[in-house]
Amino acid sequence: MVTQAPKIQVDNLTIRHGERVALRDVSLAIRPNEVFAIIGPANAGKSSFLKALNRMDLFTDKMEVAGRILFNGRDIRTLRNLYALRRRIGVVFPLPVGLPLTIYENVALGPKLAGVRERAELDAIVERCLRLAALWDEVKDRLNDYGSLLSGGQQQRLTIARALSQSPEVLILDEFSIAIDPITTMRIEDVLEQLRSELTIILASTSIQQARRLADRTAFFLDGRCIEIGDTEPLFEGGARDARTRRYLEGRFG
Amino acid sequence: MERFATTPLNRRNRRIQALLRGLFLLMTLLLILPVALILATLIVKGGPALTFDLLFSDPRLGMTAGGILPALLGTVWLVSLAMLAAAPLGVAAAIYLNEYAGDGWLTRLINLAIINLAGVPSIVHALFGVGAFVLFFGLGASILAASLTLAVMSLPVIIVTTREALAAVPMSYREACWTLGATRWQTIRRVVLPNAVPGILTGVILELSRSAGETAPIMFTGAAFFLPLLPQDVFDQTMALSLHLFVISTQVPGVPEPLPYAVALVLIGLVLMMNALSIGFRLWLRGSRRW
Ligand SMILES: Nc1ncnc2c1ncn2[C@@H]1O[C@H](COP(=O)(O)OP(=O)(O)O)[C@@H](O)[C@H]1O
Ligand SMILES: [Mg+2]
């Protein structure tokens, strides 16, 4: 296999929330254009890990990050323009967040804040992202309705459209399906399949089946440690080295 | 055994529930009673004296006759200037405290100070106003000094209500905006403020109407006992409704009985109008942006 420079490289990452240690000494590398899944039970540290990647720790009280994170080889702690970093990383949260703006504005907000003024350009971005998120057909006639009037599943797709609005290189999804119905979940999984050739996708999930369906590689987190990382198929076919990973994948704890 | 049968415990719970419900209703009615009585008295006794002439002419014959135009305009002046000073300051402080300041000991100390300041009696604010604005800054007893005193008195309440309106905006909105690469100010401007504006406005207008009725803070700082001339600028003194009401009710002999009631009616009408304005504005905002 050809070794490429990793998209994101994490060295000795330790994350604390006040006294509580959320992540201990995690090192891993995420390759360009792969789908990377993080599985593990609740409180394993998945969300904390994802938050550190675009420096959301700065917005979280008492969250401390130690260790090194390289994005395209650049140490993100030395970046002065964190806003540019965040624009290159799209984020989807567990609960859909339709901002109290119109559907159009929900998607156009990011580009607008980044300085896009041309109406035609914004129109094109909105249409492209809503199509990518498989939402366009449902909302194309009511772009000026409020985003918060959409159903939960539609709002989650709106969130994805918004996350894609600045053509990010990395898309982070934190348990995107816990609050939405199975049909929408499948549609979003299809969307991710479409996107996988264009960007790097990192997703955290408590559903091991979802990781199996989507991910090229999977990491298993437990109690703030990264227990094991491997190619998804062999890992699920019983090839896990660690007994805890095997037990988790067999569904015997979680 | 029949599962839907009523047990003695069910009966007891139902009785307690009915009793409490009645009690709470009674309390509510008791609360409304004084308000209704006051309004009724004012309307019955002052209504006949509430004429066009009262609102739009000057007081005559040692304030025992004529109208209240200077006092009405004076109150409008005082309250408008006070809010012009207090609203931007208070909202800015609340934005800082809620959106920028961390949860450190200094922030807590400031919060504690603000809450305590909101509880300071208005006569203390009046004395502060005399010391600071009238004497130290040399504004003399003037509209400006009186408005600033009202502003200082209103600030804590404006800060507290604005903070509450800001805190009611879900954190998830801010996070969603930040992950798009928005700065804190962009987030406040685009997402937080539009959602908080109805609450902020309600707070500001309620405080404005409260300060319209205040007497102590203005009587030593710029409100005059009797001043038939309309003020020329903010360094003049002015009459004010609240003080005028106090004066004609207690200080001047020979005032015909309906007059103070009519003045009180005007003052209350002014306050109610401002409250209605705030409610109307809120509804309009909610109607024009649906969520
Ligand atoms: N904002 C926070 N404040 C305090 N503790 C937190 C916070 N976020 C997470 N934690 C703690 O960090 C640990 C890891 O949590 P998290 O990263 O959310 O795990 P996961 O996403 O895998 O459920 C948990 O013990 C959790 O209680
Ligand atoms: Mg989580």
Side-chain angles (χ1 to χ4, degrees):
Chain A
M1 191 177 140
V2 191
T3 49
Q4 321 153 271
K7 190 77 194 170
I8 292 176
Q9 183 180 332
V10 174
D11 296 324
N12 308 106
L13 192 68
T14 294
I15 299 177
R16 286 186 186 80
H17 295 283
E19 298 289 286
R20 170 175 265 136
V21 181
L23 208 67
R24 285 170 213 275
D25 200 26
V26 168
S27 301
L28 55 82
I30 296 165
R31 301 171 189 151
N33 288 71
E34 78 170 332
V35 178
F36 188 88
I38 301 167
I39 58 171
N43 292 335
K46 305 182 292 296
S47 298
S48 302
F49 176 84
L50 296 180
K51 271 189 174 178
L53 297 184
N54 68 343
R55 299 243 41 202
M56 286 298 286
D57 49 295
L58 294 179
F59 294 125
T60 312
D61 253 357
K62 300 203 174 76
M63 178 168 171
E64 279 171 50
V65 177
R68 199 171 64 146
I69 301 175
L70 304 180
F71 183 86
N72 288 341
R74 283 285 308 267
D75 187 339
I76 65 170
R77 252 184 332 189
T78 66
L79 284 180
R80 301 214 32 221
N81 190 350
L82 288 175
Y83 308 111
L85 173 73
R86 296 201 184 99
R87 285 199 287 271
R88 292 163 75 174
I89 303 180
V91 180
V92 176
F93 295 109
L95 302 178
V97 185
L99 287 173
L101 304 166
T102 64
I103 295 172
Y104 184 96
E105 289 295 328
N106 260 282
V107 184
L109 179 63
K112 271 189 177 174
L113 294 179
V116 179
R117 290 276 170 276
E118 292 286 332
R119 180 75 194 194
E121 193 180 346
L122 288 170
D123 286 350
I125 291 173
V126 169
E127 176 168 353
R128 182 176 56 84
C129 296
L130 285 172
R131 279 189 193 283
L132 279 174
L135 189 59
W136 176 252
D137 290 331
E138 286 159 63
V139 300
K140 63 170 184 281
D141 299 321
R142 49 184 187 126
L143 292 176
N144 290 322
D145 279 5
Y146 274 87
S148 33
L149 296 179
L150 296 173
S151 75
Q154 288 174 323
Q155 283 195 45
Q156 193 61 306
R157 279 176 285 153
L158 182 62
T159 311
I160 291 180
R162 194 173 61 216
L164 295 173
S165 64
Q166 306 187 75
S167 306
E169 298 158 43
V170 175
L171 182 62
I172 290 176
L173 302 107
D174 190 0
E175 304 197 40
F176 69 88
S177 57
I178 56 168
I180 57 179
D181 60 286
I183 308 279
T184 310
T185 302
M186 272 165 50
R187 296 190 65 171
I188 295 181
E189 287 186 14
D190 288 342
V191 167
L192 298 180
E193 287 291 347
Q194 306 283 319
L195 289 171
R196 67 190 307 157
S197 57
E198 293 173 35
L199 37 69
T200 308
I201 297 174
I202 308 172
L203 60 97
S205 182
T206 40
S207 155
I208 54 179
Q209 289 315 320
Q210 187 170 65
R212 185 173 196 174
R213 285 193 295 271
L214 292 170
D216 298 311
R217 290 193 307 146
T218 297
F220 174 53
F221 280 26
L222 181 64
D223 290 336
R225 292 180 198 282
C226 178
I227 305 295
E228 187 162 358
I229 304 177
D231 290 334
T232 302
E233 260 329 293
L235 208 63
F236 278 82
E237 295 294 339
R241 286 184 310 268
D242 195 287
R244 287 166 296 181
T245 316
R246 273 200 303 278
R247 285 222 312 281
Y248 186 74
L249 291 178
E250 288 161 9
R252 278 200 268 141
F253 76 90
Chain B
M1 197 187 137
E2 169 62 76
R3 278 169 163 243
F4 293 112
T6 309
T7 64
L9 184 64
N10 289 155
R11 258 195 294 278
R12 219 191 86 160
N13 281 341
R14 230 179 282 154
R15 263 205 311 279
I16 293 177
Q17 135 84 8
L19 194 74
L20 282 181
R21 193 196 139 105
L23 207 68
F24 292 144
L25 180 66
L26 193 72
M27 297 293 181
T28 311
L29 292 179
L30 275 179
L31 266 176
I32 296 175
L33 201 64
V35 180
L37 277 178
I38 290 174
L39 262 183
T41 315
L42 288 182
I43 290 172
V44 170
K45 295 205 173 176
L50 185 60
T51 57
F52 184 84
D53 226 33
L54 180 82
L55 292 179
F56 295 102
S57 66
D58 292 341
R60 281 179 286 111
L61 306 176
M63 292 185 275
T64 57
I68 52 166
L69 183 66
L72 187 58
L73 287 180
T75 290
V76 171
W77 263 110
L78 288 173
V79 170
S80 316
L81 280 180
M83 284 308 127
L84 222 57
L89 261 175
V91 171
I95 289 179
Y96 175 76
L97 287 171
N98 202 63
E99 304 294 320
Y100 289 93
D103 192 24
W105 63 270
L106 187 63
T107 317
R108 285 181 198 192
L109 197 72
I110 293 176
N111 280 332
L112 202 67
I114 290 171
I115 289 167
N116 279 308
L117 219 52
V120 169
S122 57
I123 185 67
V124 177
H125 283 291
L127 296 178
F128 169 78
V130 171
F133 301 122
V134 177
L135 300 176
F136 184 77
F137 288 113
L139 298 176
S142 61
I143 293 180
L144 194 57
S147 313
L148 289 177
T149 308
L150 281 181
V152 168
M153 193 194 71
S154 308
L155 263 176
V157 180
I158 291 180
I159 295 176
V160 170
T161 51
T162 303
R163 275 201 74 174
E164 271 161 21
L166 293 172
V169 177
M171 203 58 197
S172 61
Y173 291 175
R174 296 186 183 82
E175 286 177 351
C177 208
W178 289 332
T179 60
L180 292 173
T183 62
R184 266 182 199 262
W185 170 244
Q186 285 176 322
T187 305
I188 294 167
R189 163 84 187 66
R190 295 304 189 105
V191 173
V192 180
L193 274 184
N195 277 279
V197 156
I200 295 175
L201 273 176
T202 307
V204 169
I205 295 178
L206 281 180
E207 185 52 22
L208 185 135
S209 66
R210 194 178 73 103
S211 69
E214 284 290 344
T215 315
I218 55 173
M219 81 193 264
F220 308 120
T221 53
F225 190 84
F226 177 61
L227 199 72
L229 299 175
L230 293 181
Q232 298 302 305
D233 59 35
V234 294
F235 297 105
D236 282 349
Q237 294 195 26
T238 180
M239 293 182 80
L241 273 183
S242 53
L243 184 61
H244 185 61
L245 179 58
F246 169 69
V247 167
I248 60 173
S249 325
T250 61
Q251 310 290 304
V252 182
V255 178
E257 206 205 34
L259 193 56
Y261 287 103
V263 174
L265 206 54
V266 172
L267 188 55
I268 285 196
L270 199 68
V271 169
L272 286 184
M273 235 166 59
M274 285 193 266
N275 291 357
L277 199 75
S278 119
I279 294 171
F281 202 70
R282 212 183 162 121
L283 287 178
W284 178 75
L285 276 178
R286 200 181 293 161
S288 69
R289 13 186 353 138
R290 293 181 298 128
W291 61 70

